[in-house]
Amino acid sequence: MPLDLIFHGAAGTVTGSCMELRTSGRRLLIDCGLFQGSRSLEALNHEELPFDAGALDAVILIHTHLDHSGRLPLLTREGYAGPIWCTPPTRQLLKPLLDDAAQIQAQDAARRNDRPDRAGFPRFEPLYDREDVRHVVERTRGLGYRKWAEIVPGVEIRFHDPRHILGSASLELCAEGKRLFFSGDIGQAAGDPGMLADAAGPFDHIVCEATYGDRDRVVPTPEARREELAGIVERALRRGGNLLIPAFALERTQILLEDLVALFNTGRLEPVPVVIDSPLADRITRAYRRCASPGAPRLFDHPNVRFTTGMAQSQALYRIPGAVILAGSGMCTGGRIRHHLVRNLPRAESTVLFVGYQARGTLGTVLKSGAQTVRISGSDIRVCAEIATIDAYSAHADHAALLRFLGARGAVRGRCSSITARSLRLSASPPTPPCSPACRIPLSPGSASTSASSPEGRHSARANRARMPRRCWLPMTGAIATPPSRARSRNGCVPCRAMPRAATRSPQQNRRSRRAERA
């Protein structure tokens, strides 16, 4: 029986990783992530799930970044009651991350509902709450690297380490006599000799990320990266203001702490106050300590490093000059960094340092583009602070490393009988929900061609194919799977206004109705 692979996210955009694999009456879900970035992208999170959550037999989580895990509580709320397979470190990290996401959604919903311009609109509701998160954590099942497990009859999986973040995994899956490989997010260390020897092929199909698949980057050594960071810290403190670093609580904050502590310990930098203004980063760092090997050096401990524990301590930082402040979120879309930006952006002596990718439409992208004024929480803020960037902290492999990684997997011997894709067209207008991105790939046996796919690439398939060998890509040339009666634009996409929509019921009301029917 052929396998049917359907992409419910990360097809046409970099976020919202979610893949459904159907085989012999079994349904598996690989990831269930949030769409992150602009309001148009975030609106996709409030669309109805494009599959029946209660009909799923198992869920596999590749790692804990919210664009891979952020909709798992919604999945359990919609009726999923099976196991969620992941690595043991991912189990440690999942609860604090999802608890924080639930809290941010509740705060964001309350803030939106209180806005005068939303008077008369249906009340905005968060996707889930902490009780839903608890149900997710209860369903997690840990599986170590390179250990096989039969998660449903006839389907075996094992995890491999892609060197992306703590607990991240590549997935090897065997079903229906076929061997599949899902890369997950791949770190730059994917080109290391030990990494290349892991999970050798041949495989029938490979699904590979390609966030930086269209470019080669100069990857500095840790020493060169720390020297660049030291230079920016020195310049920022000479200006007499604070250095703000928007950083994600998971992995990026820990790497920055490790580098700053190393610079202090070696004498390259005079120790200065370093404040991590993020309760989530505090909990994540504690999880890192628990996962560390016995006797390992304490990479995050230094007398000048402290974590805030409450809003009062966070607000007290407004009066402290000459400090390095790390706060979330990394793209400035939420979290405490926004409060610090409101107070520091108008000050010429302040510096804002970006150390990660900024998605289109986010506040981080606007600041990096050189905007003179930005809007934060309804207020226009002048930008007088210096804006700096370090590109040395990326956790994704570039074009050359991806080629080495894919080449070491061996020949790809399967073929796809056909491909159909639903178009992704985003609309900022609240009454018109954007079309849900999905890509369906029936996987057929055969050896006539080699292929792989990259649903998570943030650049178009056409641009990536120009740089990647043909065998690394599925031929994305299928017909658009939409009824012929719907109007098409010149590029083949179905306009959102041609899509049917419920005029009187919100997505939240639809979800409540379905839950009532199941009850």
Side-chain angles (χ1 to χ4, degrees):
M1 180 176 177
L3 300 176
D4 198 12
L5 180 60
I6 307 167
F7 295 103
H8 296 299
T13 181
V14 73
T15 63
S17 176
C18 186
M19 295 168 276
E20 183 184 359
L21 187 66
R22 299 179 181 178
T23 171
S24 298
R26 303 286 182 179
R27 293 188 176 188
L28 310 176
L29 200 68
I30 303 168
D31 289 343
C32 193
L34 281 172
F35 292 94
Q36 296 175 301
S38 66
R39 289 296 191 193
S40 297
L41 269 178
E42 290 178 356
L44 294 174
N45 296 317
H46 296 274
E47 294 295 300
E48 295 185 19
L49 291 175
F51 49 83
D52 182 2
L56 296 172
D57 295 286
V59 173
I60 305 165
L61 176 60
I62 290 180
H63 68 270
T64 48
H65 275 151
L66 289 180
D67 62 326
H68 291 256
S69 68
R71 283 191 294 172
L72 286 175
L74 177 61
L75 198 67
T76 59
R77 172 177 277 199
E78 292 295 313
Y80 178 68
I84 300 173
W85 293 88
C86 58
T87 64
T90 294
R91 294 185 71 191
Q92 292 269 350
L93 298 169
L94 194 58
K95 186 180 187 304
L97 276 166
L98 293 182
D99 272 343
D100 185 74
Q103 179 180 352
I104 289 175
Q105 288 180 43
Q107 294 171 347
D108 190 48
R111 185 169 56 250
R112 292 195 198 183
N113 290 330
D114 289 342
R115 287 172 51 176
D117 59 349
R118 284 196 55 84
F121 283 90
R123 288 190 63 80
F124 196 87
E125 295 183 10
L127 286 174
Y128 49 81
D129 54 30
R130 290 190 172 182
E131 182 66 16
D132 300 311
V133 172
R134 184 179 64 82
H135 292 318
V136 169
V137 175
E138 289 174 349
R139 286 169 171 75
T140 55
R141 305 287 185 270
L143 178 64
Y145 291 125
R146 302 184 183 181
K147 296 180 180 179
W148 284 103
E150 186 177 38
I151 59 173
V152 296
V155 179
E156 292 185 317
I157 67 167
R158 67 172 172 173
F159 292 131
H160 302 277
D161 184 4
R163 312 286 178 88
H164 176 57
I165 65 170
L166 180 66
S168 63
S170 294
L171 171 65
E172 183 178 353
L173 184 147
C174 294
E176 300 293 344
K178 301 183 183 68
R179 191 178 178 212
L180 280 66
F181 188 82
F182 298 83
S183 73
D185 288 356
I186 305 171
Q188 187 63 34
D192 292 352
M195 185 83 171
L196 297 178
D198 199 11
F203 292 95
D204 292 285
H205 301 278
I206 291 178
V207 180
C208 183
E209 75 119 320
T211 303
Y212 293 116
D214 65 338
R215 69 192 70 180
D216 289 318
R217 295 181 291 120
V218 177
V219 182
T221 63
E223 292 75 19
R225 183 185 68 206
R226 290 169 181 169
E227 183 61 31
E228 185 177 2
L229 176 62
I232 292 178
V233 172
E234 288 176 332
R235 186 170 70 250
L237 297 182
R238 280 198 302 267
R239 293 163 62 90
N242 291 323
L243 172 61
L244 304 184
I245 306 180
F248 290 110
L250 174 59
E251 190 75 13
R252 194 59 50 86
T253 292
Q254 287 73 36
I255 293 177
L256 284 164
L257 274 183
E258 182 180 342
D259 284 357
L260 287 168
V261 169
L263 291 169
F264 295 158
N265 290 339
T266 59
R268 173 60 183 84
L269 273 182
E270 187 71 24
V272 297
V274 176
V275 183
I276 296 83
D277 190 20
S278 169
L280 175 60
D282 186 13
R283 294 193 292 271
I284 294 295
T285 304
R286 293 174 191 268
Y288 266 69
R289 291 189 179 104
R290 290 194 297 269
C291 294
S293 303
R298 308 278 288 187
L299 301 175
F300 314 121
D301 296 342
H302 190 276
N304 285 61
V305 176
R306 66 183 180 91
F307 292 80
T308 60
T309 57
M311 185 55 68
Q313 289 187 355
S314 176
Q315 293 173 349
L317 298 176
Y318 304 157
R319 301 185 297 271
I320 299 176
V324 178
I325 302 173
L326 283 73
S329 70
M331 298 183 190
C332 306
T333 54
R336 294 183 179 180
I337 190 64
R338 293 172 69 91
H339 301 289
H340 293 295
L341 290 172
V342 168
R343 285 159 178 80
N344 284 272
L345 284 177
R347 300 175 179 174
E349 65 271 19
S350 298
T351 304
V352 180
L353 172 62
F354 289 100
V355 292
Y357 170 70
Q358 305 297 310
R360 185 183 305 174
T362 61
L363 176 58
T365 296
V366 175
L367 286 170
K368 285 184 65 176
S369 68
Q372 299 299 307
T373 304
V374 295
R375 193 167 183 83
I376 302 177
S377 300
S379 300
D380 291 328
I381 308 298
R382 291 183 59 202
V383 181
C384 300
E386 179 181 347
I387 308 299
T389 301
I390 292 181
D391 293 323
Y393 285 92
S394 174
H396 286 271
D398 65 0
H399 169 256
L402 285 171
L403 287 184
R404 292 195 298 271
F405 180 85
L406 288 171
R409 305 285 79 80
V412 182
R413 60 195 179 194
R415 64 182 177 85
C416 294
S417 58
S418 65
I419 295 176
T420 57
R422 287 180 59 189
S423 64
L424 171 65
R425 184 178 176 87
L426 304 178
S427 171
S429 175
T432 306
C435 313
S436 299
C439 178
R440 180 186 299 270
I441 304 179
L443 305 178
S444 301
S447 57
S449 65
T450 59
S451 62
S453 173
S454 177
E456 298 175 28
R458 72 182 167 92
H459 301 284
S460 68
R462 179 184 301 174
N464 281 324
R465 281 200 299 268
R467 299 290 304 273
M468 302 282 279
R470 184 173 297 275
R471 73 176 183 84
C472 295
W473 295 93
L474 285 168
M476 298 295 287
T477 56
I480 301 297
T482 53
S485 61
R486 293 183 184 159
R488 294 177 185 273
S489 63
R490 273 180 286 181
N491 63 3
C493 293
V494 179
C496 284
R497 63 178 180 273
M499 301 293 286
R501 56 184 174 89
T504 60
R505 303 182 66 182
S506 68
Q508 293 92 345
Q509 291 171 325
N510 290 331
R511 285 199 295 270
R512 285 198 297 267
S513 176
R514 290 197 305 275
R515 287 197 295 271
E517 291 172 0
R518 284 196 295 269

